[in-house]
Amino acid sequence: MSQHHTPGRVSVITGAGSGIGRAVARLMLAEGYRVVLAGRREEPLLETAAGHRQALAVPCDVTVAADVERLFAAALGQWERVDVLFNNAGVSGPAASVDEIELADWDATVAVNLTGSLLCAAAAVRAMKLQNPQGGRIINNGSIAAHSPRPRTVAYTVTKHAITGLTKSIELDGRGFGITCGQIDIGNAATDLLDQIGGGSGAMQADGSRRAEPTFPVQEAARAVLLMAGMPASANVGSLVVTAAGMPFIGRG
């Protein structure tokens, strides 16, 4: 790279080994970002990176504070700043209603979806406050479940509602430091996680029936994240909802 060329902004993406995280990572690399890929297993991260010289794979369990610290130390060690965090790591949690869920399953879902997002945001904010120029942007991956949940998804639904509170708190607490935060809520992007939730066999409806629902390409969800990430520091997309056209979300089915 020639010295007069301005290097790309640095983005940290959790859950980068599959699904939306993988699609966002690949799009950001294609658009000139320097991307730190985080996930529990190294092999899928390396598959996402596909040998790209601006990609750094860092195995990380977001529920472990020391892992998260190591992740951001690696990002700063490699590129000396963090401009964007895409807080994307998440699990679907158990299929269980509020009276059925096992405490261990609840705790495990909260640990990844909520506490993991907090730990990564905390590390990102600390880095963004100290770097020069100061500031950065955090994008939290919520879900359509933050607006309109499915039956028997209590742990997933509650964590995704909580992400909205985390998003607003980061936005307020970061205001004096040039740190902005927004939330993207994605409905029925075609991923393996959607198949787990029931996209394949038909998704559970509020009346207890199952029906096949429309999906849309995960690359389009990635483009929406890129739109949020690429806003100038003077603007912030606080909330973005992108769904498969015609999915039973608005109205009554």
Side-chain angles (χ1 to χ4, degrees):
M1 183 179 287
S2 60
Q3 288 181 325
H4 64 268
H5 184 274
T6 305
R9 292 194 302 152
V10 179
S11 176
V12 176
I13 299 174
T14 64
S18 64
I20 292 161
R22 170 170 282 181
V24 171
R26 286 179 171 167
L27 183 59
M28 283 187 158
L29 286 167
E31 293 289 329
Y33 282 79
R34 296 176 287 179
V35 180
V36 183
L37 313 165
R40 280 173 298 187
R41 296 184 301 122
E42 186 173 35
E43 190 179 347
L45 300 178
L46 295 175
E47 286 175 28
T48 297
H52 200 292
R53 63 193 178 87
Q54 298 285 59
L56 176 67
V58 182
C60 171
D61 182 337
V62 297
T63 69
V64 178
D67 268 27
V68 174
E69 291 303 318
R70 200 167 43 76
L71 167 65
F72 282 85
L76 296 170
Q78 182 87 355
W79 288 310
E80 298 181 348
R81 61 182 295 111
V82 173
D83 297 292
V84 179
L85 164 65
F86 182 38
N87 239 340
N88 166 71
V91 293
S92 57
S97 62
V98 67
D99 59 314
E100 295 168 342
I101 190 166
E102 298 282 347
L103 180 59
D105 289 341
W106 166 269
D107 285 344
T109 309
V110 171
V112 177
N113 292 5
L114 185 54
T115 307
S117 294
L118 171 79
L119 289 172
C120 291
V125 167
R126 285 193 289 268
M128 289 169 179
K129 281 182 175 180
L130 290 172
Q131 64 198 14
N132 185 22
Q134 191 181 57
R137 170 164 283 129
I138 295 171
I139 300 168
N140 290 328
N141 193 358
S143 168
I144 213 74
H147 305 264
S148 186
R150 299 188 188 282
R152 304 188 74 240
T153 61
V154 63
Y156 183 78
T157 295
V158 171
T159 57
K160 292 306 187 177
H161 275 70
I163 288 295
T164 306
L166 178 63
T167 300
K168 292 175 180 178
S169 290
I170 295 166
E171 169 66 19
L172 285 170
D173 295 343
R175 190 173 280 182
F177 305 94
I179 298 166
T180 56
C181 189
Q183 176 170 331
I184 184 165
D185 296 317
I186 299 166
N188 284 14
T191 64
D192 291 342
L193 185 68
L194 180 67
D195 287 342
Q196 286 173 37
I197 293 170
S201 58
M204 178 72 78
Q205 306 298 305
D207 64 2
S209 66
R210 286 188 175 274
R211 62 176 279 193
E213 293 185 2
T215 63
F216 72 104
V218 69
Q219 291 79 9
E220 299 304 317
R223 284 179 57 201
V225 174
L226 194 76
L227 170 77
M228 296 172 75
M231 285 281 162
S234 57
N236 183 46
V237 178
S239 174
L240 191 156
V241 177
V242 55
T243 70
M247 76 174 284
F249 163 56
I250 291 171
R252 304 188 185 188

